[in-house]
Each structure stands twice: as structure tokens, then as C-alpha cells.
Amino acid sequence: MKKQKFLEKFLIAFFVLVIFKVIAIFAQFSQKEMANVTETVFKFIFFAAIAVVVIVFLQNQEKDPQPQTKNIYSGGGASIDTSLFDKLKNIYEDIARKHIEDNEYKKAAIVYMNLLNDNYRAAATLEEGGFYSEAAIVYLRKVQSKTDAANCYLKAKQYDKAIILYKELQQKEKVGDLYKEINDSENAFIFYQMVVDDYIQTHQMVKASLVYRNKMDKPNEAQETLLKGWKENIEALNCLNNYFSNIPEIGKLENEIKYLYENTSPDKKLIYLEAMKTEFKKDQRLQKATRNIAYDIIAENINGRSEIVNNLKLFNPDDEVILKDVSRYKTGRNKMFRN
């Protein structure tokens, strides 16, 4: 008797839930989509009725239920087996899956959101179906994921809405890219400059130069930033290598290599030697200048760093005589130390 009364109360509560769900479904869509929503509502009621029948059937089949260790709801000495709710959940999962198979992504999303209370899957389903604007709204309002929402607005080419979210997410370079996409160069450069300033402040001079060169079309500022990094010993070798790589004319590059070396302090000449290894291999026309600079640096440091003599091989790969000289020098040094 108690079970019967409980079942009646449960069914009443279930139908009340159905009514609320129907109202919620209608409230979430515009008048333009009302025909589709009506069809969805009728399907929902149909499957809800099936679910009720299943519950009643299962209750009648359980003549001698075993004591349950786990339950979702209990009261008045009666309990509802979690397996009943699992079965109901599986019914809704099958409905959503069938909608997706039929390319009815909006209907599947409604099932996920209103029946399974899974807002993320609802949004992901809408995104999968190409309903990017609708997915963005769910991501933003239900999932509270600005990143996913911004990405969906971007896919929908609703750049104004995407820009607002990316600003809130502090993705300044992305904001600059979107302003550039809509041909708003003024605002794009404002945000790109913010990115450059952030990179410089965190001693990422190469990245700052790449923004200047690739995003802002300011090659001179890019070179100045790399020189600043070289002179202030911030990412010195990377800055120097990138600085040289941005000079395509061999004659101009050779002059710049010589000029910078003449103005290089003694404590940074070993770094300059590393850069010369790269420039020596770049073009045969640079080999004489880079070899002479290498000889000069090696000569200045050979007394304190005997191993530096090995670099002679790199600047004379085909000279067997100098290779033998290096070998004899190293052998002589070793004998001297042993004695």
C-alpha cells in the first residue's frame, strides 16, 4: 500500500517535471523556430510517457526487492533503486544519439540540456552540427566557458562578440588578429603593441620582434628590438642570429657583421663567435669576413680557453694543414700540463 501511494506521488511529480521541461523548451527558442520546437515537445512527451510505463512495469516486476545499499531518493520507508534512473537516463541517451544520427543536432542538444542536465554536451553537439552561435550562448551562459564561446563566435564569424570575450580573456594578440580581420588596423596595432610591450617586459625579445615584423609590418622596429636584446644581453645569441637572418642582401649583411663586431664588448665576443658559425655556412661570400672575425676572437681567448682552438676546424673544413696544426697544438698543450 505504501509502495502504491509512493508510486502515485512519484508519477505526479514526474508529470509536473514534464510540464516544467516543456515550458523551458518553449522559452529557449524564438517564435521563428516554434514549429520545430512543437515537434520536439510532442516527441518529448511521447518518450516521457514511455518512460513512465517502463517505471510502472519495473515496479510491478519487483515483487520481492532486495535491500538496496544505494539510492537516490528515499522517504517513508520506501526507496527508489538507482538502476531505474539509470535506465531512464539510457533512454534519453538513445534519443539524443538517434537525433545526432539523423543530423538533428538542435533536438539532441535539447535532450542533453533539459533531460540529461548536461550543458557541455549540449553545447558541443550544437558546435558539431555547425550551430556556432547557439553553441556559444550555451557555452557562455550554461557552461561559463568564455574560451569555448569565443571560439564558436569566431567560427560563426561574429567577430565583434568574439573580440569582447577575447578581451576579457586577456588574449591581446588574438584581439589584434580579429581587428585586423575586420580591417580595423588602428585598434589592431593598439593590441599588437600591448603584446610587444608584454614580451619586452618579460625579456622575450625575439617574440616581440616577430609581432613587429609579421603582424604590424614594421621591419625596422623588429630589427631595433633584436639589437636591443643583443646589446642588453637578453636572448643575446637568438637576437643576433635573427637580426642577421632578416638582412637578405649579402653585401649589406657582411657590412653589418663587421660593424657590429667592431662595437662588441670583450665579454660578448664568445657569443659573437657562435653567431659567426651560422653566418659562415650561409653563403660563400661571407666566409672571409666571418673567418677573420673568428680568428680574432680565438686569438684573444686562446690563453684562457685552450679548447677554443677547436673552432678553427669549423671555419676551415677543407684545410688539412690547419687541422694538423690544431692537433699538434692540443698535443703540445697536453704535454705541457703533464710536465
Short mmCIF file of all heavy atoms in Angstrom, two decimals, residues 246-288:
data_model
loop_
_atom_site.label_atom_id
_atom_site.label_comp_id
_atom_site.label_asym_id
_atom_site.label_seq_id
_atom_site.Cartn_x
_atom_site.Cartn_y
_atom_site.Cartn_z
N ASN A 246 67.43 38.54 -40.96
CA ASN A 246 66.48 39.48 -41.55
C ASN A 246 67.13 40.42 -42.56
O ASN A 246 66.47 41.33 -43.08
CB ASN A 246 65.82 40.31 -40.44
CG ASN A 246 64.89 39.47 -39.58
OD1 ASN A 246 64.31 38.50 -40.04
ND2 ASN A 246 64.75 39.86 -38.31
N ILE A 247 68.40 40.21 -42.85
CA ILE A 247 69.10 41.03 -43.84
C ILE A 247 69.38 40.16 -45.06
O ILE A 247 70.33 39.35 -45.06
CB ILE A 247 70.42 41.60 -43.27
CG1 ILE A 247 70.14 42.39 -41.99
CG2 ILE A 247 71.11 42.49 -44.30
CD1 ILE A 247 71.40 42.88 -41.28
N PRO A 248 68.59 40.27 -46.11
CA PRO A 248 68.72 39.35 -47.25
C PRO A 248 69.90 39.67 -48.17
O PRO A 248 70.44 38.77 -48.82
CB PRO A 248 67.39 39.53 -47.99
CG PRO A 248 66.94 40.91 -47.64
CD PRO A 248 67.44 41.17 -46.25
N GLU A 249 70.31 40.93 -48.26
CA GLU A 249 71.38 41.31 -49.17
C GLU A 249 72.73 40.96 -48.55
O GLU A 249 73.08 41.44 -47.47
CB GLU A 249 71.31 42.81 -49.47
CG GLU A 249 70.00 43.24 -50.15
CD GLU A 249 69.92 44.74 -50.35
OE1 GLU A 249 70.97 45.40 -50.19
OE2 GLU A 249 68.82 45.24 -50.64
N ILE A 250 73.51 40.14 -49.25
CA ILE A 250 74.77 39.64 -48.72
C ILE A 250 75.77 40.76 -48.46
O ILE A 250 76.44 40.78 -47.42
CB ILE A 250 75.39 38.59 -49.68
CG1 ILE A 250 74.48 37.37 -49.79
CG2 ILE A 250 76.78 38.16 -49.17
CD1 ILE A 250 74.22 36.67 -48.48
N GLY A 251 75.85 41.71 -49.38
CA GLY A 251 76.77 42.83 -49.18
C GLY A 251 76.43 43.62 -47.93
O GLY A 251 77.32 43.96 -47.12
N LYS A 252 75.17 43.94 -47.77
CA LYS A 252 74.72 44.68 -46.59
C LYS A 252 74.93 43.86 -45.32
O LYS A 252 75.33 44.39 -44.28
CB LYS A 252 73.25 45.07 -46.74
CG LYS A 252 72.71 45.92 -45.62
CD LYS A 252 71.27 46.31 -45.88
CE LYS A 252 70.73 47.16 -44.73
NZ LYS A 252 69.30 47.54 -44.96
N LEU A 253 74.69 42.57 -45.42
CA LEU A 253 74.85 41.69 -44.27
C LEU A 253 76.32 41.63 -43.84
O LEU A 253 76.63 41.68 -42.64
CB LEU A 253 74.34 40.29 -44.61
CG LEU A 253 74.54 39.20 -43.54
CD1 LEU A 253 73.89 39.60 -42.23
CD2 LEU A 253 73.98 37.86 -44.03
N GLU A 254 77.21 41.52 -44.81
CA GLU A 254 78.65 41.47 -44.49
C GLU A 254 79.08 42.75 -43.76
O GLU A 254 79.82 42.69 -42.76
CB GLU A 254 79.46 41.30 -45.77
CG GLU A 254 80.96 41.21 -45.52
CD GLU A 254 81.74 41.03 -46.81
OE1 GLU A 254 81.11 40.97 -47.89
OE2 GLU A 254 82.99 40.97 -46.74
N ASN A 255 78.62 43.89 -44.25
CA ASN A 255 78.97 45.16 -43.60
C ASN A 255 78.41 45.22 -42.17
O ASN A 255 79.08 45.73 -41.27
CB ASN A 255 78.45 46.34 -44.42
CG ASN A 255 79.18 46.49 -45.73
OD1 ASN A 255 80.35 46.09 -45.86
ND2 ASN A 255 78.52 47.07 -46.73
N GLU A 256 77.21 44.72 -42.00
CA GLU A 256 76.59 44.75 -40.68
C GLU A 256 77.32 43.82 -39.71
O GLU A 256 77.49 44.15 -38.53
CB GLU A 256 75.11 44.37 -40.79
CG GLU A 256 74.27 44.74 -39.59
CD GLU A 256 74.14 46.24 -39.39
OE1 GLU A 256 74.43 47.01 -40.34
OE2 GLU A 256 73.76 46.66 -38.27
N ILE A 257 77.76 42.67 -40.21
CA ILE A 257 78.53 41.74 -39.37
C ILE A 257 79.82 42.40 -38.89
O ILE A 257 80.18 42.30 -37.70
CB ILE A 257 78.84 40.45 -40.17
CG1 ILE A 257 77.56 39.61 -40.33
CG2 ILE A 257 79.91 39.62 -39.46
CD1 ILE A 257 77.72 38.42 -41.26
N LYS A 258 80.51 43.06 -39.80
CA LYS A 258 81.77 43.74 -39.42
C LYS A 258 81.51 44.89 -38.45
O LYS A 258 82.24 45.07 -37.47
CB LYS A 258 82.45 44.27 -40.68
CG LYS A 258 82.99 43.20 -41.61
CD LYS A 258 83.59 43.83 -42.86
CE LYS A 258 84.15 42.79 -43.81
NZ LYS A 258 84.70 43.40 -45.05
N TYR A 259 80.46 45.67 -38.74
CA TYR A 259 80.17 46.84 -37.90
C TYR A 259 79.82 46.43 -36.48
O TYR A 259 80.34 47.01 -35.51
CB TYR A 259 79.02 47.64 -38.52
CG TYR A 259 78.55 48.78 -37.65
CD1 TYR A 259 79.28 49.96 -37.56
CD2 TYR A 259 77.38 48.66 -36.90
CE1 TYR A 259 78.86 51.01 -36.75
CE2 TYR A 259 76.95 49.69 -36.08
CZ TYR A 259 77.70 50.86 -36.01
OH TYR A 259 77.28 51.88 -35.19
N LEU A 260 78.95 45.44 -36.34
CA LEU A 260 78.55 45.02 -35.00
C LEU A 260 79.72 44.43 -34.23
O LEU A 260 79.85 44.63 -33.02
CB LEU A 260 77.41 44.00 -35.08
CG LEU A 260 76.02 44.55 -35.41
CD1 LEU A 260 74.99 43.42 -35.33
CD2 LEU A 260 75.61 45.66 -34.44
N TYR A 261 80.60 43.72 -34.95
CA TYR A 261 81.75 43.13 -34.24
C TYR A 261 82.67 44.22 -33.69
O TYR A 261 83.19 44.11 -32.57
CB TYR A 261 82.54 42.21 -35.17
CG TYR A 261 83.77 41.67 -34.50
CD1 TYR A 261 83.66 40.78 -33.42
CD2 TYR A 261 85.05 42.06 -34.92
CE1 TYR A 261 84.79 40.30 -32.78
CE2 TYR A 261 86.17 41.58 -34.28
CZ TYR A 261 86.04 40.70 -33.21
OH TYR A 261 87.17 40.23 -32.56
N GLU A 262 82.86 45.26 -34.48
CA GLU A 262 83.73 46.36 -34.04
C GLU A 262 83.18 47.04 -32.79
O GLU A 262 83.94 47.66 -32.03
CB GLU A 262 83.88 47.39 -35.16
CG GLU A 262 84.69 46.87 -36.35
CD GLU A 262 84.64 47.81 -37.55
OE1 GLU A 262 83.95 48.86 -37.44
OE2 GLU A 262 85.28 47.50 -38.58
N ASN A 263 81.87 46.92 -32.58
CA ASN A 263 81.25 47.56 -31.42
C ASN A 263 80.82 46.56 -30.34
O ASN A 263 79.99 46.88 -29.50
CB ASN A 263 80.03 48.37 -31.88
CG ASN A 263 80.41 49.57 -32.74
OD1 ASN A 263 80.74 50.63 -32.23
ND2 ASN A 263 80.38 49.37 -34.06
N THR A 264 81.40 45.37 -30.41
CA THR A 264 81.06 44.33 -29.43
C THR A 264 82.04 44.35 -28.27
O THR A 264 83.27 44.37 -28.48
CB THR A 264 81.07 42.94 -30.10
OG1 THR A 264 80.06 42.90 -31.10
CG2 THR A 264 80.81 41.84 -29.08
N SER A 265 81.52 44.32 -27.07
CA SER A 265 82.38 44.32 -25.88
C SER A 265 83.06 42.96 -25.73
O SER A 265 82.54 41.94 -26.19
CB SER A 265 81.55 44.63 -24.63
OG SER A 265 80.51 43.68 -24.48
N PRO A 266 84.24 42.93 -25.10
CA PRO A 266 85.01 41.67 -24.96
C PRO A 266 84.22 40.54 -24.30
O PRO A 266 84.38 39.38 -24.67
CB PRO A 266 86.20 42.09 -24.09
CG PRO A 266 86.37 43.55 -24.37
CD PRO A 266 84.98 44.08 -24.55
N ASP A 267 83.34 40.87 -23.36
CA ASP A 267 82.62 39.82 -22.64
C ASP A 267 81.55 39.13 -23.50
O ASP A 267 81.04 38.08 -23.12
CB ASP A 267 81.95 40.41 -21.38
CG ASP A 267 80.94 41.49 -21.73
OD1 ASP A 267 81.33 42.45 -22.42
OD2 ASP A 267 79.78 41.38 -21.31
N LYS A 268 81.26 39.69 -24.68
CA LYS A 268 80.24 39.10 -25.54
C LYS A 268 80.81 38.54 -26.84
O LYS A 268 80.07 38.07 -27.70
CB LYS A 268 79.17 40.16 -25.87
CG LYS A 268 78.34 40.55 -24.65
CD LYS A 268 77.50 41.77 -24.91
CE LYS A 268 76.47 41.52 -25.97
NZ LYS A 268 75.61 42.69 -26.20
N LYS A 269 82.14 38.53 -26.95
CA LYS A 269 82.75 38.08 -28.21
C LYS A 269 82.61 36.57 -28.41
O LYS A 269 82.53 36.10 -29.54
CB LYS A 269 84.21 38.51 -28.28
CG LYS A 269 84.36 40.00 -28.56
CD LYS A 269 85.78 40.38 -28.88
CE LYS A 269 85.87 41.86 -29.27
NZ LYS A 269 87.24 42.27 -29.62
N LEU A 270 82.58 35.82 -27.34
CA LEU A 270 82.38 34.37 -27.48
C LEU A 270 80.99 34.08 -28.03
O LEU A 270 80.81 33.13 -28.79
CB LEU A 270 82.59 33.67 -26.14
CG LEU A 270 84.03 33.64 -25.63
CD1 LEU A 270 84.10 32.99 -24.25
CD2 LEU A 270 84.94 32.89 -26.61
N ILE A 271 80.00 34.88 -27.64
CA ILE A 271 78.66 34.74 -28.20
C ILE A 271 78.68 35.10 -29.68
O ILE A 271 78.05 34.44 -30.51
CB ILE A 271 77.66 35.63 -27.44
CG1 ILE A 271 77.60 35.25 -25.97
CG2 ILE A 271 76.26 35.53 -28.07
CD1 ILE A 271 76.70 36.15 -25.13
N TYR A 272 79.46 36.14 -30.00
CA TYR A 272 79.57 36.56 -31.40
C TYR A 272 80.21 35.46 -32.25
O TYR A 272 79.82 35.23 -33.41
CB TYR A 272 80.41 37.84 -31.50
CG TYR A 272 80.04 38.70 -32.69
CD1 TYR A 272 79.06 39.67 -32.57
CD2 TYR A 272 80.66 38.54 -33.93
CE1 TYR A 272 78.70 40.46 -33.65
CE2 TYR A 272 80.31 39.32 -35.01
CZ TYR A 272 79.32 40.27 -34.87
OH TYR A 272 78.96 41.05 -35.95
N LEU A 273 81.14 34.74 -31.65
CA LEU A 273 81.78 33.63 -32.36
C LEU A 273 80.76 32.55 -32.72
O LEU A 273 80.79 32.00 -33.83
CB LEU A 273 82.89 33.02 -31.48
CG LEU A 273 83.60 31.79 -32.04
CD1 LEU A 273 84.32 32.12 -33.35
CD2 LEU A 273 84.58 31.23 -31.01
N GLU A 274 79.83 32.28 -31.82
CA GLU A 274 78.77 31.29 -32.11
C GLU A 274 77.91 31.75 -33.27
O GLU A 274 77.51 30.94 -34.13
CB GLU A 274 77.91 31.08 -30.86
CG GLU A 274 78.61 30.41 -29.69
CD GLU A 274 79.12 29.03 -30.07
OE1 GLU A 274 78.36 28.24 -30.69
OE2 GLU A 274 80.29 28.74 -29.76
N ALA A 275 77.63 33.04 -33.32
CA ALA A 275 76.82 33.56 -34.42
C ALA A 275 77.57 33.45 -35.75
O ALA A 275 76.98 33.19 -36.80
CB ALA A 275 76.44 35.01 -34.15
N MET A 276 78.90 33.61 -35.71
CA MET A 276 79.69 33.54 -36.93
C MET A 276 79.68 32.15 -37.54
O MET A 276 79.83 31.98 -38.76
CB MET A 276 81.14 33.98 -36.66
CG MET A 276 81.30 35.46 -36.32
SD MET A 276 80.66 36.58 -37.61
CE MET A 276 79.00 36.94 -37.00
N LYS A 277 79.52 31.13 -36.71
CA LYS A 277 79.44 29.76 -37.23
C LYS A 277 78.24 29.61 -38.16
O LYS A 277 78.33 28.95 -39.20
CB LYS A 277 79.33 28.77 -36.07
CG LYS A 277 80.56 28.71 -35.17
CD LYS A 277 80.32 27.78 -33.99
CE LYS A 277 81.49 27.81 -33.03
NZ LYS A 277 81.26 26.95 -31.85
N THR A 278 77.15 30.25 -37.80
CA THR A 278 75.94 30.19 -38.63
C THR A 278 76.13 31.00 -39.90
O THR A 278 75.79 30.55 -41.01
CB THR A 278 74.73 30.72 -37.85
OG1 THR A 278 74.53 29.94 -36.68
CG2 THR A 278 73.46 30.68 -38.71
N GLU A 279 76.68 32.20 -39.78
CA GLU A 279 76.84 33.07 -40.94
C GLU A 279 77.88 32.52 -41.92
O GLU A 279 77.76 32.72 -43.13
CB GLU A 279 77.23 34.48 -40.49
CG GLU A 279 76.21 35.14 -39.57
CD GLU A 279 74.80 35.11 -40.13
OE1 GLU A 279 74.62 35.50 -41.29
OE2 GLU A 279 73.89 34.68 -39.40
N PHE A 280 78.90 31.84 -41.42
CA PHE A 280 79.93 31.26 -42.28
C PHE A 280 79.32 30.24 -43.24
O PHE A 280 79.70 30.16 -44.41
CB PHE A 280 81.00 30.59 -41.41
CG PHE A 280 82.10 29.92 -42.20
CD1 PHE A 280 83.16 30.65 -42.70
CD2 PHE A 280 82.06 28.55 -42.43
CE1 PHE A 280 84.17 30.04 -43.43
CE2 PHE A 280 83.06 27.92 -43.17
CZ PHE A 280 84.12 28.66 -43.67
N LYS A 281 78.35 29.47 -42.76
CA LYS A 281 77.72 28.43 -43.59
C LYS A 281 76.65 28.99 -44.53
O LYS A 281 76.22 28.30 -45.46
CB LYS A 281 77.08 27.36 -42.69
CG LYS A 281 78.06 26.63 -41.80
CD LYS A 281 77.33 25.68 -40.87
CE LYS A 281 78.28 24.99 -39.91
NZ LYS A 281 77.55 24.10 -38.96
N LYS A 282 76.24 30.21 -44.28
CA LYS A 282 75.10 30.76 -45.01
C LYS A 282 75.43 31.04 -46.47
O LYS A 282 74.62 30.75 -47.37
CB LYS A 282 74.62 32.05 -44.32
CG LYS A 282 73.35 32.63 -44.91
CD LYS A 282 72.93 33.86 -44.14
CE LYS A 282 72.47 33.53 -42.73
NZ LYS A 282 71.98 34.72 -42.02
N ASP A 283 76.58 31.62 -46.73
CA ASP A 283 76.92 32.00 -48.10
C ASP A 283 78.44 32.07 -48.22
O ASP A 283 79.12 32.57 -47.32
CB ASP A 283 76.30 33.35 -48.45
CG ASP A 283 76.36 33.66 -49.94
OD1 ASP A 283 77.48 33.93 -50.43
OD2 ASP A 283 75.30 33.63 -50.59
N GLN A 284 78.96 31.60 -49.32
CA GLN A 284 80.41 31.58 -49.53
C GLN A 284 81.00 32.99 -49.49
O GLN A 284 82.15 33.18 -49.07
CB GLN A 284 80.74 30.91 -50.86
CG GLN A 284 82.22 30.62 -51.07
CD GLN A 284 82.48 29.81 -52.31
OE1 GLN A 284 81.55 29.50 -53.05
NE2 GLN A 284 83.74 29.45 -52.55
N ARG A 285 80.23 33.96 -49.90
CA ARG A 285 80.71 35.35 -49.92
C ARG A 285 80.92 35.91 -48.51
O ARG A 285 81.59 36.94 -48.35
CB ARG A 285 79.74 36.22 -50.70
CG ARG A 285 79.73 35.98 -52.20
CD ARG A 285 78.59 36.69 -52.89
NE ARG A 285 77.30 36.09 -52.56
CZ ARG A 285 76.13 36.55 -53.00
NH1 ARG A 285 76.11 37.66 -53.77
NH2 ARG A 285 75.00 35.96 -52.67
N LEU A 286 80.38 35.25 -47.51
CA LEU A 286 80.54 35.71 -46.13
C LEU A 286 81.69 35.01 -45.41
O LEU A 286 82.04 35.39 -44.30
CB LEU A 286 79.25 35.46 -45.34
CG LEU A 286 78.01 36.23 -45.77
CD1 LEU A 286 76.80 35.75 -44.98
CD2 LEU A 286 78.20 37.73 -45.56
N GLN A 287 82.28 34.03 -46.05
CA GLN A 287 83.25 33.18 -45.34
C GLN A 287 84.52 33.94 -44.94
O GLN A 287 85.06 33.72 -43.86
CB GLN A 287 83.59 31.96 -46.18
CG GLN A 287 82.42 30.98 -46.28
CD GLN A 287 82.78 29.70 -47.00
OE1 GLN A 287 83.89 29.56 -47.54
NE2 GLN A 287 81.85 28.76 -47.03
N LYS A 288 84.99 34.80 -45.81
CA LYS A 288 86.23 35.52 -45.48
C LYS A 288 86.03 36.41 -44.26
O LYS A 288 86.85 36.38 -43.32
CB LYS A 288 86.67 36.36 -46.68
CG LYS A 288 87.98 37.11 -46.42
CD LYS A 288 88.40 37.91 -47.65
CE LYS A 288 89.70 38.68 -47.37
NZ LYS A 288 90.12 39.49 -48.56
#
